[in-house]
Amino acid sequence: MSETIYQGLAGVNVDTTQISHIDGLKGELIYRGYDIRELANKASFEEVTYLLWNDDLPTQDQLAEFKNGLKPHYILPQEVIEVLKLMPKDTHPMHAVRTAVSMLGATDSAAEGVDLDNVHRIGLSLTAKFPSIVATFERLRNGQEAISPDPDLSIAGNFLYMLTGEKPTEAATNVMDVALVLHAEHGSNASTFVARAVASTLTDVYSSITAACGSLKGPLHGGANAAVMQALEKIGSVSKVEDYVMNILGTPGGRVMGFGHRVYRVLDPRAIILKEVSHHLAEESGDSKWFEMSLEMERVMDREMTKKGKEIKPNVDFFSASVYRMLGFPTDMYTPIFAVARISGWMAHLYEQYADNKLMRPRMVYEGPLGKSFKAINNR
Ligand code: CMC
């Protein structure tokens, strides 16, 4: 009997969720009923994190309480700082993030509990600590002293502050905040699915989030933003974009990074917003090279994909690359920044998973041989 195979779990519904909804045909992303386009313009990352973890947006009092709850968690335990100091300076910063999360688990004497109160405590802690981990590793690998967090700043502002030691401008903080809101949550993407699959064994939150970090790092997922910038750097100028794209498309299995999506068949709504942000930053900074190269890549891909009848459009990682470049971040920090945002979505999903758990245990169709007889090792 032939069995249906859903390679890559494409099109498989593993559970229900209240957290977010993607309409891949309309190009809509909804967080608990609210359109991402509205949230990106009007809500802070803290408000959105509260929304993802609760039923609705916070009142002013609820938001103040939520921010107060984050404050004691910004500072990293000394053991984590020591581990970050031990990491090779040229290691990928996602190794540092993943290892730091694992170390946080080792230093938390209450790591094991998966009751919702404990999961919520760890969620607050990780949301506050992710920016501290990324900024601290960035400074340490450059031979600089780590900067203590300023808990009076927003998560976006504190991240920028911990990188440089200077209070960030309102404009830079706002751009960072929009990027965090846009990357916060995206349904059953690979890393969120991994987090839920690990949590479904009823292991601890740190184990789930460590695994999610490993998944996010891959170039087909969160690693694509860095891959986009590496491509733009390699190309070097607008006039060389077309040859680069045609060369990749002419290579069997070639993928132009930052394009395509498992769910969207039209433009990713997050890409539309980030394109506007990238355009704005290019005009403000007078450094339009990265934006113009991105536009040219989009134009060539659109033309070629239309010819092939494929709906392959820019995704969230495409314009975030030029945005992060213009904000001055090193390329290998782009995916860790994605993690700073996505921890809020991962945690929202862990609340759902632990609250109504079923062990994830799909099957595979065996196609190997049967009936072989065993030979002792000296007879093989
Ligand atoms: N460049 C060129 N061709 C592409 C691309 C691309 N970026 N993406 C898909 N295609 C083609 C693919 O070659 C295939 O062609 P054919 O049917 O002739 O074999 C067709 O489109 C369908 O591709 P698929 O592999 O079935 O699509 P998928 O749903 O498995 O892949 C994807 C989705 C995101 C892995 C893929 O589009 C890709 O590799 N994109 C580049 C990496 C990237 O930007 N990843 C970020 C994804 S969004 C944010 C996130 O999750 O972090």
Side-chain angles (χ1 to χ4, degrees), residues 219-222 224 249 254-262 270 301 305 310 312 315-317 338:
L220 296 188
H221 188 12
L249 296 182
R255 296 285 166 104
V256 182
M257 288 297 164
F259 287 83
H261 199 274
R262 178 63 62 78
R270 303 166 299 172
M301 277 296 279
M305 292 301 124
K310 288 184 186 172
I312 307 289
N315 57 49
V316 68
D317 293 310
F338 196 151

mmCIF file of all heavy atoms in Angstrom, residues 219-222 224 249 254-262 270 301 305 310 312 315-317 338, ligand 1:
data_model
loop_
_atom_site.group_PDB
_atom_site.id
_atom_site.type_symbol
_atom_site.label_atom_id
_atom_site.label_comp_id
_atom_site.label_asym_id
_atom_site.label_seq_id
_atom_site.Cartn_x
_atom_site.Cartn_y
_atom_site.Cartn_z
ATOM 1 N N PRO A 219 20.869 28.485 7.066
ATOM 2 C CA PRO A 219 20.662 29.463 5.996
ATOM 3 C C PRO A 219 19.303 29.387 5.302
ATOM 4 O O PRO A 219 18.896 30.348 4.647
ATOM 5 C CB PRO A 219 21.796 29.178 5.007
ATOM 6 C CG PRO A 219 22.265 27.801 5.327
ATOM 7 C CD PRO A 219 21.990 27.575 6.779
ATOM 8 N N LEU A 220 18.591 28.266 5.450
ATOM 9 C CA LEU A 220 17.241 28.243 4.867
ATOM 10 C C LEU A 220 16.227 28.884 5.800
ATOM 11 O O LEU A 220 15.074 29.092 5.428
ATOM 12 C CB LEU A 220 16.803 26.795 4.559
ATOM 13 C CG LEU A 220 17.629 26.060 3.510
ATOM 14 C CD1 LEU A 220 16.974 24.735 3.169
ATOM 15 C CD2 LEU A 220 17.831 26.899 2.249
ATOM 16 N N HIS A 221 16.642 29.196 7.022
ATOM 17 C CA HIS A 221 15.731 29.799 8.011
ATOM 18 C C HIS A 221 16.326 31.159 8.414
ATOM 19 O O HIS A 221 16.549 32.012 7.547
ATOM 20 C CB HIS A 221 15.580 28.800 9.173
ATOM 21 C CG HIS A 221 14.547 29.135 10.193
ATOM 22 N ND1 HIS A 221 13.588 30.110 10.032
ATOM 23 C CD2 HIS A 221 14.329 28.607 11.444
ATOM 24 C CE1 HIS A 221 12.828 30.154 11.115
ATOM 25 N NE2 HIS A 221 13.263 29.260 11.985
ATOM 26 N N GLY A 222 16.610 31.356 9.694
ATOM 27 C CA GLY A 222 17.068 32.683 10.149
ATOM 28 C C GLY A 222 18.442 33.076 9.633
ATOM 29 O O GLY A 222 18.778 34.269 9.611
ATOM 30 N N ALA A 224 19.318 33.122 6.752
ATOM 31 C CA ALA A 224 19.217 33.702 5.402
ATOM 32 C C ALA A 224 19.538 35.200 5.403
ATOM 33 O O ALA A 224 20.062 35.722 4.422
ATOM 34 C CB ALA A 224 17.820 33.458 4.829
ATOM 35 N N LEU A 249 20.581 31.092 -10.763
ATOM 36 C CA LEU A 249 19.392 30.438 -11.313
ATOM 37 C C LEU A 249 19.767 29.406 -12.383
ATOM 38 O O LEU A 249 19.007 28.463 -12.629
ATOM 39 C CB LEU A 249 18.410 31.471 -11.884
ATOM 40 C CG LEU A 249 17.805 32.437 -10.849
ATOM 41 C CD1 LEU A 249 16.809 33.385 -11.512
ATOM 42 C CD2 LEU A 249 17.124 31.680 -9.701
ATOM 43 N N GLY A 254 20.176 25.921 -7.412
ATOM 44 C CA GLY A 254 20.641 27.233 -6.923
ATOM 45 C C GLY A 254 19.515 28.015 -6.246
ATOM 46 O O GLY A 254 18.391 28.040 -6.739
ATOM 47 N N ARG A 255 19.819 28.631 -5.138
ATOM 48 C CA ARG A 255 18.835 29.424 -4.384
ATOM 49 C C ARG A 255 19.362 30.837 -4.206
ATOM 50 O O ARG A 255 20.497 31.013 -3.739
ATOM 51 C CB ARG A 255 18.611 28.840 -2.981
ATOM 52 C CG ARG A 255 18.019 27.454 -2.957
ATOM 53 C CD ARG A 255 16.546 27.506 -3.299
ATOM 54 N NE ARG A 255 16.034 26.181 -3.602
ATOM 55 C CZ ARG A 255 15.296 25.469 -2.764
ATOM 56 N NH1 ARG A 255 15.008 25.945 -1.586
ATOM 57 N NH2 ARG A 255 14.840 24.288 -3.116
ATOM 58 N N VAL A 256 18.555 31.807 -4.535
ATOM 59 C CA VAL A 256 18.910 33.194 -4.242
ATOM 60 C C VAL A 256 18.400 33.477 -2.843
ATOM 61 O O VAL A 256 17.186 33.403 -2.583
ATOM 62 C CB VAL A 256 18.292 34.162 -5.278
ATOM 63 C CG1 VAL A 256 18.712 35.594 -4.975
ATOM 64 C CG2 VAL A 256 18.726 33.759 -6.685
ATOM 65 N N MET A 257 19.309 33.765 -1.941
ATOM 66 C CA MET A 257 18.946 33.909 -0.529
ATOM 67 C C MET A 257 18.034 35.117 -0.301
ATOM 68 O O MET A 257 18.216 36.157 -0.933
ATOM 69 C CB MET A 257 20.212 34.034 0.319
ATOM 70 C CG MET A 257 20.943 32.736 0.419
ATOM 71 S SD MET A 257 19.886 31.537 1.254
ATOM 72 C CE MET A 257 20.668 30.027 0.876
ATOM 73 N N GLY A 258 17.066 34.929 0.606
ATOM 74 C CA GLY A 258 16.130 36.029 0.890
ATOM 75 C C GLY A 258 14.889 35.979 0.016
ATOM 76 O O GLY A 258 14.042 36.876 0.095
ATOM 77 N N PHE A 259 14.799 34.944 -0.827
ATOM 78 C CA PHE A 259 13.609 34.784 -1.681
ATOM 79 C C PHE A 259 12.952 33.434 -1.411
ATOM 80 O O PHE A 259 13.634 32.453 -1.143
ATOM 81 C CB PHE A 259 13.998 34.863 -3.165
ATOM 82 C CG PHE A 259 14.338 36.253 -3.601
ATOM 83 C CD1 PHE A 259 15.612 36.750 -3.387
ATOM 84 C CD2 PHE A 259 13.376 37.072 -4.191
ATOM 85 C CE1 PHE A 259 15.935 38.045 -3.767
ATOM 86 C CE2 PHE A 259 13.694 38.362 -4.561
ATOM 87 C CZ PHE A 259 14.980 38.853 -4.351
ATOM 88 N N GLY A 260 11.646 33.422 -1.544
ATOM 89 C CA GLY A 260 10.900 32.174 -1.422
ATOM 90 C C GLY A 260 10.419 31.948 -0.001
ATOM 91 O O GLY A 260 10.994 32.471 0.974
ATOM 92 N N HIS A 261 9.347 31.208 0.107
ATOM 93 C CA HIS A 261 8.795 30.898 1.425
ATOM 94 C C HIS A 261 7.884 29.692 1.316
ATOM 95 O O HIS A 261 7.209 29.513 0.310
ATOM 96 C CB HIS A 261 8.006 32.092 1.987
ATOM 97 C CG HIS A 261 7.823 31.993 3.456
ATOM 98 N ND1 HIS A 261 6.795 31.293 4.021
ATOM 99 C CD2 HIS A 261 8.569 32.491 4.470
ATOM 100 C CE1 HIS A 261 6.914 31.371 5.342
ATOM 101 N NE2 HIS A 261 7.973 32.078 5.636
ATOM 102 N N ARG A 262 7.869 28.884 2.354
ATOM 103 C CA ARG A 262 7.018 27.702 2.350
ATOM 104 C C ARG A 262 5.537 28.078 2.328
ATOM 105 O O ARG A 262 4.717 27.376 1.746
ATOM 106 C CB ARG A 262 7.358 26.854 3.583
ATOM 107 C CG ARG A 262 6.545 25.610 3.796
ATOM 108 C CD ARG A 262 6.687 24.574 2.691
ATOM 109 N NE ARG A 262 7.992 24.028 2.478
ATOM 110 C CZ ARG A 262 8.570 23.083 3.223
ATOM 111 N NH1 ARG A 262 7.966 22.600 4.264
ATOM 112 N NH2 ARG A 262 9.761 22.617 2.902
ATOM 113 N N ARG A 270 6.013 41.293 5.895
ATOM 114 C CA ARG A 270 7.138 41.833 6.670
ATOM 115 C C ARG A 270 8.183 42.422 5.736
ATOM 116 O O ARG A 270 8.843 43.416 6.052
ATOM 117 C CB ARG A 270 7.751 40.724 7.531
ATOM 118 C CG ARG A 270 6.762 40.063 8.469
ATOM 119 C CD ARG A 270 7.281 38.773 9.055
ATOM 120 N NE ARG A 270 7.581 37.776 8.025
ATOM 121 C CZ ARG A 270 8.188 36.617 8.239
ATOM 122 N NH1 ARG A 270 8.555 36.301 9.469
ATOM 123 N NH2 ARG A 270 8.417 35.774 7.257
ATOM 124 N N MET A 301 14.872 38.932 -10.056
ATOM 125 C CA MET A 301 14.172 37.723 -9.589
ATOM 126 C C MET A 301 12.714 37.735 -10.038
ATOM 127 O O MET A 301 12.176 36.717 -10.465
ATOM 128 C CB MET A 301 14.238 37.617 -8.058
ATOM 129 C CG MET A 301 15.508 37.015 -7.544
ATOM 130 S SD MET A 301 15.719 35.287 -8.065
ATOM 131 C CE MET A 301 14.708 34.409 -6.883
ATOM 132 N N MET A 305 11.340 34.786 -12.275
ATOM 133 C CA MET A 305 10.344 33.893 -11.662
ATOM 134 C C MET A 305 9.012 33.984 -12.417
ATOM 135 O O MET A 305 8.306 32.992 -12.566
ATOM 136 C CB MET A 305 10.157 34.225 -10.172
ATOM 137 C CG MET A 305 11.368 33.896 -9.333
ATOM 138 S SD MET A 305 11.792 32.135 -9.433
ATOM 139 C CE MET A 305 13.477 32.184 -9.973
ATOM 140 N N LYS A 310 6.782 30.894 -11.365
ATOM 141 C CA LYS A 310 6.959 30.556 -9.938
ATOM 142 C C LYS A 310 6.672 31.774 -9.070
ATOM 143 O O LYS A 310 7.040 32.896 -9.428
ATOM 144 C CB LYS A 310 8.402 30.107 -9.669
ATOM 145 C CG LYS A 310 8.729 28.745 -10.225
ATOM 146 C CD LYS A 310 10.140 28.359 -9.804
ATOM 147 C CE LYS A 310 10.551 27.065 -10.468
ATOM 148 N NZ LYS A 310 11.949 26.751 -10.244
ATOM 149 N N ILE A 312 7.991 33.169 -6.342
ATOM 150 C CA ILE A 312 9.121 33.273 -5.404
ATOM 151 C C ILE A 312 9.408 34.759 -5.203
ATOM 152 O O ILE A 312 9.915 35.440 -6.098
ATOM 153 C CB ILE A 312 10.377 32.572 -5.979
ATOM 154 C CG1 ILE A 312 10.068 31.132 -6.395
ATOM 155 C CG2 ILE A 312 11.534 32.629 -4.984
ATOM 156 C CD1 ILE A 312 9.821 30.173 -5.278
ATOM 157 N N ASN A 315 11.449 37.492 1.030
ATOM 158 C CA ASN A 315 10.901 37.183 2.350
ATOM 159 C C ASN A 315 11.471 38.146 3.395
ATOM 160 O O ASN A 315 12.210 39.074 3.044
ATOM 161 C CB ASN A 315 11.173 35.706 2.704
ATOM 162 C CG ASN A 315 12.660 35.370 2.649
ATOM 163 O OD1 ASN A 315 13.476 36.081 3.215
ATOM 164 N ND2 ASN A 315 13.004 34.290 1.945
ATOM 165 N N VAL A 316 11.176 37.914 4.660
ATOM 166 C CA VAL A 316 11.548 38.863 5.723
ATOM 167 C C VAL A 316 13.056 39.100 5.771
ATOM 168 O O VAL A 316 13.520 40.184 6.134
ATOM 169 C CB VAL A 316 11.040 38.342 7.094
ATOM 170 C CG1 VAL A 316 11.780 37.093 7.539
ATOM 171 C CG2 VAL A 316 11.099 39.400 8.167
ATOM 172 N N ASP A 317 13.830 38.063 5.399
ATOM 173 C CA ASP A 317 15.277 38.172 5.533
ATOM 174 C C ASP A 317 15.905 39.051 4.462
ATOM 175 O O ASP A 317 17.051 39.469 4.610
ATOM 176 C CB ASP A 317 15.909 36.766 5.467
ATOM 177 C CG ASP A 317 15.525 35.937 6.673
ATOM 178 O OD1 ASP A 317 15.673 36.448 7.794
ATOM 179 O OD2 ASP A 317 15.066 34.795 6.497
ATOM 180 N N PHE A 338 17.725 38.220 15.007
ATOM 181 C CA PHE A 338 16.476 37.494 14.743
ATOM 182 C C PHE A 338 16.079 36.730 16.023
ATOM 183 O O PHE A 338 14.915 36.735 16.450
ATOM 184 C CB PHE A 338 16.727 36.525 13.572
ATOM 185 C CG PHE A 338 15.509 35.958 12.883
ATOM 186 C CD1 PHE A 338 15.576 35.594 11.533
ATOM 187 C CD2 PHE A 338 14.313 35.762 13.554
ATOM 188 C CE1 PHE A 338 14.482 35.046 10.880
ATOM 189 C CE2 PHE A 338 13.205 35.211 12.908
ATOM 190 C CZ PHE A 338 13.299 34.852 11.577
HETATM 191 N N1 CMC B 1 15.878 30.979 -5.314
HETATM 192 C C1 CMC B 1 15.644 30.302 -6.454
HETATM 193 N N2 CMC B 1 14.702 29.356 -6.589
HETATM 194 C C2 CMC B 1 13.952 29.103 -5.512
HETATM 195 C C3 CMC B 1 14.115 29.779 -4.296
HETATM 196 C C4 CMC B 1 15.125 30.750 -4.219
HETATM 197 N N3 CMC B 1 15.353 31.431 -3.088
HETATM 198 N N4 CMC B 1 13.226 29.311 -3.402
HETATM 199 C C5 CMC B 1 12.522 28.361 -4.017
HETATM 200 N N5 CMC B 1 12.955 28.235 -5.291
HETATM 201 C C6 CMC B 1 12.433 27.314 -6.289
HETATM 202 C C7 CMC B 1 12.963 25.912 -6.031
HETATM 203 O O1 CMC B 1 14.163 25.708 -6.717
HETATM 204 C C8 CMC B 1 11.850 25.052 -6.526
HETATM 205 O O2 CMC B 1 11.956 24.936 -7.910
HETATM 206 P P1 CMC B 1 11.541 23.561 -8.656
HETATM 207 O O3 CMC B 1 10.099 23.365 -8.357
HETATM 208 O O4 CMC B 1 11.814 23.860 -10.101
HETATM 209 O O5 CMC B 1 12.417 22.514 -8.075
HETATM 210 C C9 CMC B 1 10.592 25.866 -6.222
HETATM 211 O O6 CMC B 1 11.027 27.221 -6.133
HETATM 212 C C10 CMC B 1 9.938 25.505 -4.911
HETATM 213 O O7 CMC B 1 10.933 25.423 -3.941
HETATM 214 P P2 CMC B 1 10.825 24.492 -2.682
HETATM 215 O O8 CMC B 1 12.194 24.084 -2.280
HETATM 216 O O9 CMC B 1 9.824 23.412 -2.851
HETATM 217 O O10 CMC B 1 10.240 25.467 -1.618
HETATM 218 P P3 CMC B 1 10.301 25.238 -0.101
HETATM 219 O O11 CMC B 1 8.975 25.593 0.409
HETATM 220 O O12 CMC B 1 10.813 23.924 0.301
HETATM 221 O O13 CMC B 1 11.434 26.280 0.313
HETATM 222 C C11 CMC B 1 12.615 27.989 1.228
HETATM 223 C C12 CMC B 1 11.231 27.432 1.002
HETATM 224 C C13 CMC B 1 12.487 29.200 2.119
HETATM 225 C C14 CMC B 1 13.484 26.956 1.941
HETATM 226 C C15 CMC B 1 13.251 28.346 -0.134
HETATM 227 O O14 CMC B 1 12.443 29.295 -0.775
HETATM 228 C C16 CMC B 1 14.672 28.852 -0.008
HETATM 229 O O15 CMC B 1 15.607 28.061 0.058
HETATM 230 N N6 CMC B 1 14.873 30.217 0.045
HETATM 231 C C17 CMC B 1 16.189 30.781 0.246
HETATM 232 C C18 CMC B 1 16.543 30.814 1.717
HETATM 233 C C19 CMC B 1 15.733 31.835 2.454
HETATM 234 O O16 CMC B 1 15.605 32.974 2.057
HETATM 235 N N7 CMC B 1 15.206 31.424 3.629
HETATM 236 C C20 CMC B 1 14.419 32.301 4.500
HETATM 237 C C21 CMC B 1 12.992 31.865 4.569
HETATM 238 S S1 CMC B 1 11.859 33.037 5.285
HETATM 239 C C22 CMC B 1 12.377 33.433 6.857
HETATM 240 C C23 CMC B 1 12.693 32.339 7.778
HETATM 241 O O17 CMC B 1 12.021 31.330 7.858
HETATM 242 O O18 CMC B 1 13.671 32.491 8.486
#
